[in-house]
Amino acid sequence: MSALDDVRRAFTAAHGHEPDGIFSAPGRVNLIGEHTDHNEGHVLPFAIDRRTWVAVARRTDGTVTVCSSDPGTQPVSTTVGALDEATGWAAYPLGTVWALGEAGVAPSGWDLVVHGEVPLGAGLSSSAALESAVALAVAECSGADLDRFALAAAGRRAENDVVGAPVGIMDQAASLLCREGSALLLDCRSMATEDVALGLEDADLGILVIDSRVRHDLADGGYADRRAACVAAAAALGVPALRDADLAAVEGLGDDVLRRRARHVVTEQARVHEVVGLLRAGRPAEVGPVLSASQASLRDDFAVSVPEVDALVTAAEDAGALGARIVGGGFGGSVLALVRRASLDDVAVACRAVPGDPGPTVREVAPAPGARRDL
Ligand code: ADP
Ligand code: MG
């Protein structure tokens, strides 16, 4: 049974008729560009081969219902006027419908049935996959004239204003705009995007995402602290954002902590462009050492890695990975490793053997198409 069949059958079982359409959107992983987004720099995510499906039908009575196959969820029914009061898991889909209304999509009732195959909370952005699938479904089925960037903005707004998570737009942009086989170079200042072909398959390369399943208590506070340090460093340097700083000026900063935080951002920004250059030159294997340089910078200058994650990076590299780094906000979370296909099993086994409670989870991910209509 395909996921498409599953969600279609779940919809007809719940509502007694066929959906108007079925839409899906992928999770993502960010190849390079960590903590560059909140400094108005560049990121380079790609959509992965794990998707979230949404079957949808329009209602005319102002009621919005949503249910999910995820066992941790309960169905929710509300009205178009109360969408922004949604809580728990339903805040993601209902918040997205609310944000689309704020963006001018005519208010209407909806039945939404969700089936997700993006693992939750594993660094692959199941939240953006859900928001992006809902955004595309509701926009298309209401005939709204919104481009994909506007849909991404609605997903982000749902997460910022209804869920209450201070995320940027990278995840939703990747989910809605990525093309199969390519990463998305996103300028977080101008919001300009460019496709960058990855060429992993031709080069016999694979990507593993290793979830440490560790999240330190200081994750939220630590993230806010790093953002504040970046703002302070930019002010000390007299630039609008660290994206505009140059390394020589950063090295002249008197405050040791600010200097190191800023140095990470400035060198990471350069690494994004280095990776884009390597990919465009058809040399994807050489991206490996740049990932490892990113890890060193995130660990030593930005101080967002933790021993459990460092151990996974070391295990991956010792088992033959071409490079590996922590992904996401930091203080735990996941590691991305670039690996020759012949070494994928060795790296996976080595990472699974790194002790932990409950211990790491290893997944191979492949570049996949962005959000689309499936039915
Ligand atoms: P991630 O890194 O996976 O995006 P988040 O904490 O940002 O982690 O989002 C995960 C949350 O999104 C889940 O706890 C759940 O509330 C919601 N979610 C994501 N996918 C689904 C789904 N298929 N069904 C129900 N809720 C989902
Ligand atoms: Mg998320």
Side-chain angles (χ1 to χ4, degrees), residues 11-374:
F11 189 97
T12 50
H15 299 293
H17 59 87
E18 288 284 327
D20 297 347
I22 298 179
F23 298 78
S24 66
R28 64 84 195 104
V29 68
N30 187 22
L31 184 59
I32 189 97
E34 209 62 73
H35 288 279
T36 43
D37 58 340
H38 57 85
N39 292 289
E40 302 186 15
H42 289 80
V43 291
L44 191 64
F46 64 91
I48 60 163
D49 54 345
R50 309 283 200 288
R51 307 181 75 80
T52 298
W53 282 263
V54 174
V56 59
R58 194 169 182 155
R59 297 174 64 121
T60 51
D61 62 353
T63 298
V64 183
T65 74
V66 64
C67 65
S68 168
S69 60
D70 184 83
T73 61
Q74 294 291 326
V76 172
S77 176
T78 187
T79 60
V80 287
L83 289 165
D84 59 340
E85 293 159 25
T87 56
W89 81 275
Y92 297 84
L94 297 179
T96 302
V97 180
W98 167 80
L100 289 170
E102 295 291 294
V105 174
S108 168
W110 300 98
D111 289 320
L112 302 165
V113 172
V114 175
H115 174 72
E117 295 189 346
V118 185
L120 274 49
L124 300 174
S125 205
S126 67
S127 59
L130 175 53
E131 292 150 3
S132 300
V134 168
L136 186 64
V138 166
E140 286 225 358
C141 291
S142 29
D145 186 22
L146 291 178
D147 66 21
R148 289 204 168 208
F149 203 85
L151 301 182
R156 179 196 184 172
R157 189 153 183 210
E159 199 149 338
N160 289 167
D161 295 355
V162 181
V163 176
V167 298
I169 202 163
M170 170 175 76
D171 300 350
Q172 295 82 3
S175 186
L176 280 150
L177 294 165
C178 278
R179 291 176 205 281
E180 184 163 21
S182 291
L184 186 77
L185 178 63
L186 171 66
D187 180 330
C188 296
R189 171 173 283 164
S190 69
M191 298 297 161
T193 59
E194 280 175 61
D195 294 332
V196 182
L198 286 162
L200 298 178
E201 220 175 279
D202 291 345
D204 279 326
L205 297 172
I207 297 224
L208 296 178
V209 175
I210 305 126
D211 182 1
S212 70
R213 297 209 276 176
V214 168
R215 190 172 189 272
H216 285 225
D217 287 343
L218 52 312
D220 290 340
Y223 181 74
D225 171 85
R226 295 304 181 275
R227 284 191 74 139
C230 290
V231 170
L237 291 163
V239 293
L242 284 182
R243 178 227 176 102
D244 305 301
D246 68 61
L247 194 53
V250 167
E251 295 294 1
L253 279 172
D255 183 296
D256 180 56
V257 170
L258 289 194
R259 184 172 64 248
R260 288 192 293 128
R261 303 296 183 256
R263 188 164 58 203
H264 165 69
V265 174
V266 171
T267 58
E268 183 78 352
Q269 178 71 9
R271 281 185 290 270
V272 176
H273 294 297
E274 189 181 354
V275 166
V276 169
L278 287 168
L279 293 173
R280 292 213 163 121
R283 290 152 55 191
E286 291 170 53
V287 168
V290 191
L291 299 180
S292 297
S294 173
Q295 169 64 18
S297 178
L298 287 159
R299 182 189 61 216
D300 301 335
D301 276 344
F302 218 61
V304 289
S305 195
V306 291
E308 297 91 331
V309 167
D310 294 340
L312 286 170
V313 168
T314 303
E317 291 176 342
D318 288 352
L322 299 169
R325 70 175 192 88
I326 186 172
V327 291
F331 308 99
S334 293
V335 166
L336 175 152
L338 180 69
V339 185
R340 291 203 191 282
R341 296 212 64 83
S343 303
L344 279 171
D345 286 346
D346 288 348
V347 174
V349 167
C351 289
R352 285 196 188 100
V354 171
D357 180 17
T361 305
V362 182
R363 298 180 176 90
E364 186 183 353
V365 298
R372 65 181 180 215
R373 183 170 200 146
D374 293 298

